[in-house]
Amino acid sequence: MHPKQICADIEMMGARLVLDDNDLYIENPENVYQELVEFVQSYKKRIIRYLKGEYSDQEHNVKQTIDKIINYFMGIDQEMNPKIDDWFNHEWDAATKAARLLILFWENGWRDFDSSVSNFESEETDKLSLEIYERAMSYFKGNKS
């Protein structure tokens, strides 16, 4: 989910996400359900980058694609799964890179598979994510190997 949407959803509840240096706070937290607080925490790094003006739409496209690929690996039903399955069946190297990305997230501390990988991203995962995204876009736009 785009950090912009998360912020808007929080504001609709009468609260607000506030950036204080490199930390994130919820103003009027009593207006927000605990589950939503936990959700915000799982996207904390991306939200902070967004509030600092460092989170571009292109970066979001990459991360959203990676989130869909992770959901695919986790067996979460989503409309995109047949397309990802077709892609991986035709591009074994892309599937291998995606598996390597999951390992990097694990090495960075991602253990709760029901939560976002947002807080476990690094320069290395960002670079690999971009490579995977570019391969996916090329494949889905018809440049199939």
Side-chain angles (χ1 to χ4, degrees):
M1 178 179 279
H2 198 294
K4 178 180 177 179
Q5 184 63 50
I6 295 170
C7 291
D9 290 349
I10 293 286
E11 286 183 16
M12 282 181 37
M13 299 182 85
R16 192 168 73 96
L17 292 174
V18 178
L19 187 60
D20 183 18
D21 199 20
N22 278 326
D23 215 349
L24 188 66
Y25 296 96
I26 298 177
E27 193 175 81
N28 300 322
E30 63 278 1
N31 295 340
V32 180
Y33 297 107
Q34 182 58 36
E35 294 83 10
L36 190 53
V37 171
E38 292 166 10
F39 181 78
V40 166
Q41 288 171 344
S42 73
Y43 282 90
K44 183 177 178 177
K45 281 180 124 179
R46 289 184 194 172
I47 294 168
I48 289 172
R49 287 184 47 75
Y50 169 75
L51 291 173
K52 286 182 169 184
E54 299 171 352
Y55 191 83
S56 70
D57 287 341
Q58 174 62 19
E59 181 178 355
H60 177 69
N61 291 340
V62 171
K63 294 186 184 301
Q64 183 179 44
T65 299
I66 296 304
D67 289 344
K68 288 177 182 178
I69 292 169
I70 290 170
N71 288 342
Y72 167 86
F73 275 111
M74 302 302 289
I76 296 171
D77 189 33
Q78 56 188 354
E79 189 176 308
M80 189 73 183
N81 283 354
K83 291 180 181 180
I84 296 171
D85 195 48
D86 178 66
W87 173 44
F88 284 162
N89 282 322
H90 287 93
E91 287 196 19
W92 178 248
D93 190 48
T96 303
K97 286 182 182 289
R100 174 68 184 135
L101 183 61
L102 291 174
I103 291 167
L104 289 173
F105 287 132
W106 171 267
E107 290 173 352
N108 291 347
W110 181 55
R111 300 293 188 276
D112 179 3
F113 302 127
D114 292 327
S115 71
S116 169
V117 295
S118 169
N119 293 331
F120 306 98
E121 294 164 339
S122 64
E123 192 173 310
E124 187 176 10
T125 63
D126 287 348
K127 182 180 177 209
L128 186 54
S129 294
L130 182 58
E131 287 178 36
I132 294 166
Y133 172 80
E134 288 172 349
R135 290 186 75 140
M137 292 305 104
S138 177
Y139 185 83
F140 295 132
K141 290 178 180 172
N143 301 329
K144 300 177 181 179
S145 310

